[in-house]
């Protein structure tokens, strides 16, 4: 997953250690990263296509730049504040505040102002290729889940809460397996924009909630 979001060898060494307790040398991590990018060349090219489109939109405010079923465009709100809009495949739009072109590690990079969750500060943030990809993937996943939730509700399910990629429902004390199978089917419902995406859902029935 980290490699899919353009994580490099140095960061992979840290991630493997802190999150999984796996000790990697830089050479081992570099081998894994290079192998991923070679085996998934389409992902590698997508990173830079997204970054190029975002940069073009910031450099030419008001002009739309489209690639990989998303569209970047700088727009202004009613008080004149500029935003970089990112229209997702579903049609939903995300916004990045006051975009500008900054100088990144490898040349010009689209930047914006935003709230940093770790430092709790409002600061300059770079839209590097991996971050753009992560934003799109996570937002699209949420769009798929919400459509699945609406489909489930249309089939009579009472959704109490959702946690990240999970849905919790209260059901009558009967036909557990049938209801679970129907709920999983509902959560995998697609729309025209998401047709072809491989989806799978699984779950369980019990009296108290727990993490799977």
């Amino acid at each position: 997953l980290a490699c899919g979001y353009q994580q490099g060898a140095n960061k992979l060494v840290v991630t493997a250690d802190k999150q999984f307790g796996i000790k990697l040398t830089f050479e081992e991590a570099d081998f894994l990263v290079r192998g991923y990018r070679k085996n998934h060349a389409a992902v590698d090219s997508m990173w830079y296509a997204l970054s190029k489109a975002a940069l073009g939109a910031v450099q030419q405010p008001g002009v739309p730049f489209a690639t990989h079923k998303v569209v970047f465009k700088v727009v202004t709100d009613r008080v004149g504040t500029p935003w970089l809009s990112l229209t997702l495949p579903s049609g939903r739009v995300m916004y990045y505040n006051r975009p500008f072109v900054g100088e990144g590690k490898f040349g010009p990079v689209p930047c914006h102002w935003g709230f940093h969750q770790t430092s709790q500060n409002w600061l300059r943030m770079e839209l590097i290729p991996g971050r753009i990809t992560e934003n799109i993937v996570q937002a699209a996943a949420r769009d798929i889940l919400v459509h699945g939730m609406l489909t489930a509700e249309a089939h009579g399910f009472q959704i109490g809460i959702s946690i990240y990629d999970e849905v919790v429902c209260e059901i009558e004390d009967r036909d557990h397996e049938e209801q679970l199978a129907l709920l999983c089917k509902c959560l995998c419902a697609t729309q025209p924009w998401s047709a072809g995406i491989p989806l799978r859902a699984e779950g369980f029935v019990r009296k108290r909630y727990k993490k799977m």
Side-chain angles (χ1 to χ4, degrees), residues 68-72 85-96 132-143 193:
H68 291 79
K69 299 184 180 181
V70 300
V71 181
F72 296 89
S85 66
L86 167 52
T87 304
L88 298 162
S90 65
R92 188 161 64 92
V93 185
M94 298 194 299
Y95 296 92
Y96 301 91
I132 298 173
T133 303
E134 186 271 344
N135 286 181
I136 293 171
V137 170
Q138 295 295 336
R142 182 60 180 169
D143 289 341
W193 73 267

Side-chain angles (χ1 to χ4, degrees), residues 20 84 88 98 103:
F20 304 101
L84 174 62
L88 298 162
R98 290 183 289 160
E103 191 61 32

Side-chain angles (χ1 to χ4, degrees), residues 3 12 24 26-37:
C3 285
L12 184 57
L24 293 176
F26 174 82
E27 289 72 24
E28 290 172 330
D30 188 56
F31 175 80
L32 293 172
V33 169
R34 290 180 183 274
Y36 176 89
R37 295 180 182 183

Side-chain angles (χ1 to χ4, degrees), residues 10-157:
N10 284 317
K11 184 65 174 178
L12 184 57
V13 170
V14 177
T15 300
D17 184 20
K18 287 189 174 181
Q19 294 189 15
F20 304 101
I22 298 173
K23 304 293 184 181
L24 293 176
T25 65
F26 174 82
E27 289 72 24
E28 290 172 330
D30 188 56
F31 175 80
L32 293 172
V33 169
R34 290 180 183 274
Y36 176 89
R37 295 180 182 183
K38 180 179 179 181
N39 293 333
H40 301 280
V43 174
D44 187 86
S45 64
M46 179 184 67
W47 292 332
Y48 300 105
L50 291 171
S51 182
K52 182 179 179 181
L55 182 62
V58 176
Q59 291 173 328
Q60 301 182 56
V63 179
F65 283 76
T67 184
H68 291 79
K69 299 184 180 181
V70 300
V71 181
F72 296 89
K73 183 180 178 180
V74 171
V75 298
T76 56
D77 60 25
R78 60 184 180 182
V79 296
T81 302
W83 299 81
L84 174 62
S85 66
L86 167 52
T87 304
L88 298 162
S90 65
R92 188 161 64 92
V93 185
M94 298 194 299
Y95 296 92
Y96 301 91
N97 182 250
R98 290 183 289 160
F100 62 96
V101 177
E103 191 61 32
K105 185 177 180 180
F106 302 104
V109 61
C111 301
H112 68 96
W113 288 91
F115 186 73
H116 193 271
Q117 294 182 357
T118 303
S119 68
Q120 301 289 295
N121 290 320
W122 187 259
L123 45 74
R124 170 190 185 275
M125 305 178 77
E126 293 184 359
L127 273 175
I128 59 175
R131 182 171 166 240
I132 298 173
T133 303
E134 186 271 344
N135 286 181
I136 293 171
V137 170
Q138 295 295 336
R142 182 60 180 169
D143 289 341
I144 290 171
L145 179 61
V146 168
H147 178 67
M149 292 168 66
L150 294 174
T151 302
E153 289 181 337
H155 281 77
F157 287 97

